[in-house]
């Protein structure tokens, strides 16, 4: 049973515009959320995280929004750059369970120059 | 940032043989390491959680006798795929965390092909 879902397998955005990647989760006990970026044949790289006590966290061009009532989070990339083209995974977990996280299926972002 | 390495990066083996994959945290002590498997166009599937000096905790559906995990030190965990079959062919990724860190740091992955 997929506890974390990314319903858009792919997304294309023009360079300079905003990229919005979405993620939904089903387990209301999740209280920590992360986004990872992955290039082919490489391991994921941590991008940004958010805990359930916040609804927004910003780091440079990357902002993550959390809507707990909707069990939904999103990653905004502004402005999008060609180097942002990669697969983005969201992950969710609980602080007190040994940092065991569950990953979504990923969204492949293509930023068109 | 924290660096995690995996060795080998690619391995091809014959059906019925065993393959060992190493995961090392290079600049920090990893209290916990995780092993994932990724199928094409699929999510990262958590296989097991490994704590130094104790037995690994396997996810439901993962055969512990087939996927042997040893976390011998705070910087090294190994995954041994025993009696490999073609259906074990996959991309295996490890990650590591240190106490107080909630972000997992991932290794570059190992591509296993069983012929």
């Amino acid at each position: 049973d997929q506890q974390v879902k990314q319903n858009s397998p792919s997304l294309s955005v023009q360079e300079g515009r905003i990229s919005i990647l979405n993620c939904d989760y089903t387990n209301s006990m999740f209280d920590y959320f992360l986004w990872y970026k992955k290039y082919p044949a490489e391991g994921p790289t941590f991008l940004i995280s958010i805990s359930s006590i916040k609804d927004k966290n910003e780091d440079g061009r990357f902002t993550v929004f959390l809507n707990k009532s909707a069990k939904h989070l999103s990653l905004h990339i502004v402005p999008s750059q060609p180097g942002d083209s990669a697969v983005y995974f969201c992950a969710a977990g609980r602080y007190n369970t040994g940092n065991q996280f569950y990953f979504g299926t990923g969204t492949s972002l293509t930023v068109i120059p | 940032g924290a660096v995690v390495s995996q060795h080998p990066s690619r391995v091809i083996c014959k059906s019925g043989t065993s393959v060992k994959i190493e995961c090392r945290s290079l600049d920090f002590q990893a209290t916990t390491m995780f092993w994932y498997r990724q199928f094409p166009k699929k999510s990262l599937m958590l296989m097991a959680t490994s704590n130094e000096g104790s037995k690994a905790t396997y996810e439901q559906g993962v055969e512990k006798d087939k996927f042997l995990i040893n976390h011998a030190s705070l910087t090294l965990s190994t995954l041994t795929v025993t009696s490999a079959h073609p259906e074990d062919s996959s991309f295996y990724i490890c990650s590591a965390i240190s106490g107080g860190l909630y972000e997992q740091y991932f290794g570059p992955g190992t591509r296993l092909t069983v012929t």
Side-chain angles (χ1 to χ4, degrees):
Chain A
D1 183 31
Q2 193 76 27
Q3 297 192 61
V4 180
K5 300 177 183 178
Q6 292 175 258
N7 293 319
S8 297
S10 63
L11 174 68
S12 291
V13 172
Q14 285 291 133
E15 181 178 4
R17 305 293 289 270
I18 183 171
S19 294
I20 300 176
L21 296 96
N22 294 303
C23 178
D24 297 291
Y25 60 96
T26 57
N27 190 336
S28 58
M29 299 299 290
F30 288 152
D31 55 17
Y32 201 76
F33 307 87
L34 310 96
W35 283 94
Y36 287 86
K37 178 179 179 180
K38 184 182 182 299
Y39 294 112
E42 292 184 9
T45 303
F46 170 74
L47 263 182
I48 192 168
S49 64
I50 189 168
S51 74
S52 59
I53 62 174
K54 292 185 172 183
D55 54 19
K56 176 183 174 181
N57 188 25
E58 191 172 352
D59 184 1
R61 296 186 298 113
F62 302 92
T63 303
V64 56
F65 295 92
L66 176 63
N67 183 334
K68 291 184 288 294
S69 60
K71 296 192 186 68
H72 176 84
L73 64 154
S74 61
L75 174 68
H76 292 209
I77 306 173
V78 183
S80 301
Q81 299 174 354
D84 296 329
S85 297
V87 176
Y88 289 79
F89 289 96
C90 68
R94 297 169 61 186
Y95 255 40
N96 62 352
T97 56
N99 298 97
Q100 184 181 85
F101 289 97
Y102 297 89
F103 285 78
T105 50
T107 296
S108 178
L109 172 66
T110 302
V111 180
I112 304 164
Chain B
V3 179
V4 176
S5 70
Q6 274 183 248
H7 178 79
S9 58
R10 304 179 72 93
V11 57
I12 300 172
C13 70
K14 291 187 176 180
S15 186
T17 61
S18 295
V19 174
K20 180 185 284 188
I21 303 170
E22 293 186 349
C23 176
R24 293 181 185 272
S25 56
L26 298 185
D27 50 3
F28 68 101
Q29 292 187 325
T31 51
T32 304
M33 287 183 168
F34 302 90
W35 285 96
Y36 293 86
R37 181 174 178 177
Q38 185 181 28
F39 297 97
K41 298 182 180 179
K42 295 285 187 181
S43 176
L44 294 169
M45 184 193 80
L46 179 64
M47 298 175 66
T49 302
S50 169
N51 293 298
E52 186 266 339
S54 62
K55 289 185 178 180
T57 302
Y58 289 81
E59 293 297 299
Q60 191 173 10
V62 178
E63 299 175 61
K64 59 181 68 176
D65 294 331
K66 181 169 185 61
F67 298 99
L68 301 179
I69 292 171
N70 184 11
H71 195 157
S73 75
L74 284 171
T75 60
L76 173 65
S77 175
T78 60
L79 167 67
T80 301
V81 183
T82 62
S83 187
H85 288 112
E87 57 265 31
D88 298 326
S89 298
S90 193
F91 193 57
Y92 293 87
I93 305 176
C94 73
S95 70
I97 61 171
S98 179
L101 286 179
Y102 291 97
E103 297 85 16
Q104 294 184 37
Y105 294 90
F106 286 83
T110 296
R111 170 69 61 190
L112 170 64
T113 303
V114 185
T115 60

